[in-house]
Amino acid sequence: MLSTILTIYLLITILFCFFRIKVGLMMFLIYIVIVPFVKFLNFGVNFLNLILIVAVFFQYKVKSLDFTPLKPFIFLYGAQLIMIPFHSSVPIDYQLSMIRSDFMSSLLLPFAIHNVMHNDKKTVSSFTITMLCIIIVTSGYSL
């Protein structure tokens, strides 16, 4: 029952990402922080992050996106890719899968949020209020 409710919530979140990206991103941010697992129909968090980036590209043109926050992280993941052949105890395909998973789970959501706030300055206060509410809920839950 709970998984059905969460799946419906994620489906509504995906729809909002394509029609009202600000609301969709806030809903996804709430879900990703408060719910300890992410599973949407047999897909994981990386699939949802990919849909999120597609929605950002759909909403804004590529020329209006700001890629500058990604530059240091691209260097980091590039350096990790260069170091993969020197690790002999872990299989290469597992290392590549983990780098891809790390990249998608740690950079795509902040990249989407940054670009929405970059293109619409009014959303900064909305995201701030959303984060404060998330912090209050998670703090209360942990106590």
Side-chain angles (χ1 to χ4, degrees), residues 15-63:
L15 291 175
F16 267 113
C17 282
F18 282 99
F19 297 110
R20 296 200 55 205
I21 190 132
K22 178 177 89 167
V23 176
L25 273 175
M26 283 187 241
M27 289 174 66
F28 188 66
L29 187 63
I30 291 168
Y31 183 85
I32 207 87
V33 174
I34 292 179
V35 178
F37 63 90
V38 176
K39 190 172 182 184
F40 176 68
L41 301 174
N42 291 326
F43 300 109
V45 69
N46 287 339
F47 178 72
L48 292 172
N49 283 328
L50 190 63
I51 288 176
L52 196 71
I53 289 300
V54 169
V56 168
F57 281 116
F58 178 75
Q59 192 77 22
Y60 303 110
K61 296 178 180 164
V62 178
K63 291 181 180 180

Side-chain angles (χ1 to χ4, degrees), residues 26 99 134:
M26 283 187 241
I99 284 180
I134 290 171

Side-chain angles (χ1 to χ4, degrees), residues 75-89:
F75 175 74
L76 170 71
Y77 287 113
Q80 288 179 347
L81 279 173
I82 292 171
M83 293 172 51
I84 282 180
F86 302 110
H87 295 271
S88 60
S89 61

Side-chain angles (χ1 to χ4, degrees), residues 73-87 91-103:
F73 296 101
I74 290 174
F75 175 74
L76 170 71
Y77 287 113
Q80 288 179 347
L81 279 173
I82 292 171
M83 293 172 51
I84 282 180
F86 302 110
H87 295 271
I92 290 177
D93 58 340
Y94 179 75
Q95 290 181 44
L96 290 174
S97 175
M98 290 309 296
I99 284 180
R100 177 196 53 81
S101 177
D102 265 355
F103 181 81

